[in-house]
Amino acid sequence: MAPTPLTDPTWWRHAAIYQIYVRSFADGNGDGIGDLRGVRDRLPYLKRLGVDAIWFTPWYDSPLKDGGYDVADYRRINPQFGEVEEAEALIREALDLGIRTIIDVVPNHVSDRHEWFRQALTAGPGSPERERFWFRDGRGENGERMPNEWPSSFSGDTWTRTTDPDGTPGQWYLHLFTPEQPDLNWNHPDVRREHEDVLKFWFDRGVGGVRIDSAALVVKDPALPEIDADRVYASGEHPNLDRDELHDIYRSWRAVADSYEGTRVLVGEIWLADLDRFALYLRPDELHTAFNFDFMNRPWRAQDLREAITGTLGAHAPVGAPSTWVLSNHDITRPVTRYGREDSSFDFAKKRFGTPTDLAVGTRRARAAALLTTALPGSLYLYQGDELGLPEVEDIPLERLDDPMHFRSGGVDPGRDGCRVPLPWSGTTAPFGFSPAGAASEPWLPQPAVFRSLTVEKQEQDPESMLSLYRRALHLRATESSLIGEEFAWVTAATDVVAFRRGDLVVVTNLGAEAVSLPEHSAILLSSSPLDGDLLPSDTTVWLRTRA
């Protein structure tokens, strides 16, 4: 018998994976915050959508200073979301529908509410408890200057000074993100052992894989030298990025994953410009896959997309790992908004309030991008709400913003809340079915009125909706033999066209301003927008069968 999706050991090489940001997916108890009960209720929706796995951003106990990426306890679920027993039930129910669960692990740091960090503050300088973190004396006559000037991933300083029991200033501790997220010292055996135990805890409960946040930032040079922005560091020698010691850590994690029956995948979030260094993490005894951010960040321009696809496939080929394709996530401006801008690329440093966009153009391009990415070989990631064509919500009242990227930028960066607004499921007024009828609390972020035309309920009735397009694309992706394998070849095309062949299928995307002629074909499987006879309009993707 052919393997089913749940018995195929290579399921991860071609999986369609749906990202769930729990707070904003579905509210099951009416408190305005998404929870695991809400996810369980919506599992049939995900089954109909056609995904193979769901990836949860952190669902652990957390003060939510950074959307859950400040983990206080990996063995508890955030009380706002539910309990461990409910997570176990969700994992089982999803598996019953043929859907695996992937969870997030954040090895670079923990919450300042984590037991270890509280112990470290109490124990004081020189204690074993502080060795699990990066506590250092300050520079200057009275230790008033930070130990170094490392840049932050969230703007602002990367060191915070503690206060001793007598009220005097004490040591400083390192945090590459917010002060509420102290960095761990991965030279300490406790840190390594604890994370391996966390993997076992969740693998024992049936999760199918782990996504590793900021996977290339974890190890630091113990000397904590300054970072020279103008220096080109030799491979593996940067003070806090892509250090060679990381590979031993992920080899040990792979050994843990491989000790379980069935394939438990490790997925790295790795932001590296050097594709050769990127590929090292995907060797057979390390991570299974890693996110491809190059493609996601590129502008809507044929040359850029061809370069990103070529570079990605080329980097993965030597290590035999599948490529991954993603258009957005819980950190990135949604495609419908991004692709409607004059500069349709993405860069955290460029996010600003008031950037104009053409949502009609953006939606047309997002539909075309959906079919382009869905047809590429490898695994596909879909962020919740993109299948509905939701725009970035850019008019959230300032007093409702929650993201630390906004506050740490001094209010310049609008932050990431715009792509985290709760989903619209039904109805014509907020909360659009996100919370149960009669809920006493409004959603934790306000939903715009435009959501009334984008609900799941409304789109399920429209065969031309974004949701219908994604459902058809994912169904064909799972059933067309040409799209299941890893065969890929470029097709010669005009400058503004991206075209490639997968078996007997040809995928063509027109990114130019003028319509172009379709290549010879025997059938049209799917198109992102209506065709004009034998012409492919601007900002449109089509899947063609090339033989009878």
Side-chain angles (χ1 to χ4, degrees):
M1 275 180 89
T4 67
L6 291 183
T7 60
D8 182 0
T10 64
W11 65 272
W12 50 279
R13 299 189 68 89
H14 182 255
I17 302 167
Y18 187 92
Q19 180 190 353
I20 290 181
Y21 188 76
V22 181
R23 281 203 291 178
S24 299
F25 185 71
D27 169 20
N29 63 10
D31 65 357
I33 298 171
D35 49 41
L36 299 190
R37 182 191 303 180
V39 178
R40 293 173 68 188
D41 290 343
R42 302 294 182 174
L43 286 175
Y45 167 81
L46 297 173
K47 177 66 174 178
R48 291 194 301 273
L49 183 60
V51 300
D52 303 298
I54 45 179
W55 155 41
F56 286 89
T57 55
W59 59 11
Y60 316 105
D61 192 14
S62 166
L64 297 175
K65 295 297 184 181
D66 181 24
Y69 284 88
D70 48 322
V71 179
D73 189 339
Y74 276 106
R75 295 172 180 82
R76 292 187 63 212
I77 296 293
N78 189 309
Q80 293 182 347
F81 301 159
E83 300 177 348
V84 169
E85 292 75 15
E86 189 151 32
E88 293 171 342
L90 190 160
I91 293 166
R92 290 194 305 269
E93 291 165 6
L95 284 172
D96 288 342
L97 294 174
I99 299 173
R100 289 177 171 83
T101 297
I102 297 172
I103 60 170
D104 234 309
V105 171
V106 191
N108 182 71
H109 51 262
V110 292
S111 167
D112 61 352
R113 307 279 184 87
H114 192 282
E115 181 183 5
W116 279 3
F117 192 70
R118 290 185 294 180
Q119 291 172 349
L121 291 178
T122 301
S127 64
E129 289 83 356
R130 289 202 173 188
E131 291 303 312
R132 295 168 174 157
F133 300 92
W134 295 101
F135 281 89
R136 291 292 185 272
D137 294 331
R139 296 176 294 175
E141 183 177 352
N142 298 306
E144 68 277 6
R145 293 170 54 216
M146 294 185 298
N148 66 28
E149 302 289 338
W150 281 2
S152 171
S153 295
F154 279 179
S155 302
D157 295 335
T158 53
W159 293 86
T160 292
R161 198 169 191 184
T162 62
T163 301
D164 289 337
D166 63 1
T168 60
Q171 288 188 307
W172 299 73
Y173 68 88
L174 175 68
H175 50 84
L176 293 184
F177 293 84
T178 72
E180 293 84 9
Q181 295 166 288
D183 281 33
L184 290 165
N185 175 11
W186 274 83
N187 297 316
H188 199 293
D190 285 357
V191 176
R192 298 197 178 207
R193 183 166 50 248
E194 167 66 4
H195 281 76
E196 290 181 16
D197 287 346
V198 165
L199 295 183
K200 294 173 185 176
F201 180 88
W202 287 107
F203 286 152
D204 288 344
R205 282 155 180 78
V207 302
V210 172
R211 180 261 192 187
I212 306 163
D213 182 72
S214 301
L217 277 178
V218 173
V219 174
K220 282 79 175 173
D221 182 337
L224 304 178
E226 294 291 357
I227 295 173
D228 184 348
D230 297 322
R231 176 182 170 186
V232 178
Y233 285 92
S235 295
E237 293 186 1
H238 189 279
N240 67 18
L241 177 66
D242 185 34
R243 293 186 62 81
D244 287 337
E245 301 95 319
L246 282 165
H247 298 286
D248 286 336
I249 294 171
Y250 297 135
R251 287 190 185 97
S252 71
W253 286 26
R254 181 61 177 265
V256 172
D258 287 349
S259 70
Y260 283 80
E261 183 179 358
T263 305
R264 313 297 178 103
V265 300
L266 302 178
V267 183
E269 182 198 30
I270 300 174
W271 295 76
L272 291 178
D274 187 332
L275 292 178
D276 290 333
R277 290 290 298 181
F278 172 87
L280 292 179
Y281 291 87
L282 304 177
R283 288 175 289 192
D285 61 344
E286 295 191 43
L287 308 183
H288 293 79
T289 65
F291 283 172
N292 170 23
F293 292 110
D294 181 38
F295 181 85
M296 178 180 68
N297 292 339
R298 295 277 186 147
W300 186 249
R301 192 162 53 229
Q303 179 180 345
D304 282 270
L305 297 187
R306 280 195 298 267
E307 287 176 355
I309 294 168
T310 299
T312 299
L313 294 174
H316 287 75
V319 289
S323 302
T324 62
W325 308 101
V326 58
L327 292 177
S328 74
N329 59 36
H330 63 291
D331 292 332
I332 307 298
T333 303
R334 286 196 182 272
V336 164
T337 298
R338 190 171 78 243
Y339 286 140
R341 289 180 169 159
E342 182 177 355
D343 180 0
S344 55
S345 63
F346 180 80
D347 185 341
F348 280 112
K350 295 180 181 178
K351 286 193 71 172
R352 293 295 183 269
F353 287 100
T355 305
T357 188
D358 184 328
L359 289 180
V361 171
T363 297
R364 188 178 179 91
R365 290 175 174 176
R367 290 173 64 93
L371 291 197
L372 171 61
T373 53
T374 303
L376 289 167
S379 56
L380 174 72
Y381 284 82
L382 171 60
Y383 176 51
Q384 65 179 44
D386 282 353
E387 81 277 16
L388 303 177
L390 299 186
E392 187 86 356
V393 181
E394 300 188 288
D395 59 354
I396 299 172
L398 292 179
E399 66 271 15
R400 296 289 298 275
L401 291 178
D402 184 71
D403 184 21
M405 288 192 79
H406 166 69
F407 300 107
R408 287 178 63 80
S409 73
V412 173
D413 185 338
R416 300 164 294 176
D417 291 323
C419 65
R420 300 176 176 183
V421 173
L423 298 190
W425 292 94
S426 59
T428 57
T429 58
F432 300 108
F434 170 72
S435 297
S441 300
E442 64 178 9
W444 71 280
L445 284 175
Q447 300 161 300
V450 71
F451 274 14
R452 68 166 57 97
S453 64
L454 298 170
T455 65
V456 172
E457 178 183 56
K458 186 174 182 62
Q459 294 199 41
E460 286 184 329
Q461 301 169 12
D462 179 5
E464 302 305 319
S465 68
M466 184 78 84
L467 177 58
S468 296
L469 179 71
Y470 262 103
R471 283 181 175 175
R472 291 197 299 272
L474 290 172
H475 172 74
L476 289 171
R477 185 179 185 273
T479 56
E480 282 287 332
S481 58
S482 294
L483 295 176
I484 294 174
E486 298 185 14
E487 180 181 351
F488 177 93
W490 288 112
V491 172
T492 302
T495 303
D496 291 329
V497 172
V498 172
F500 55 87
R501 179 181 295 277
R502 302 285 312 281
D504 68 344
L505 300 184
V506 169
V507 177
V508 187
T509 302
N510 179 12
L511 295 90
E514 304 296 330
V516 297
S517 297
L518 294 174
E520 291 187 14
H521 59 278
S522 61
I524 297 171
L525 273 69
L526 194 58
S527 64
S528 62
S529 297
L531 303 181
D532 182 10
D534 285 332
L535 295 178
L536 181 65
S538 174
D539 296 329
T540 303
T541 297
V542 64
W543 293 1
L544 304 171
R545 195 178 301 282
T546 58
R547 67 166 184 258

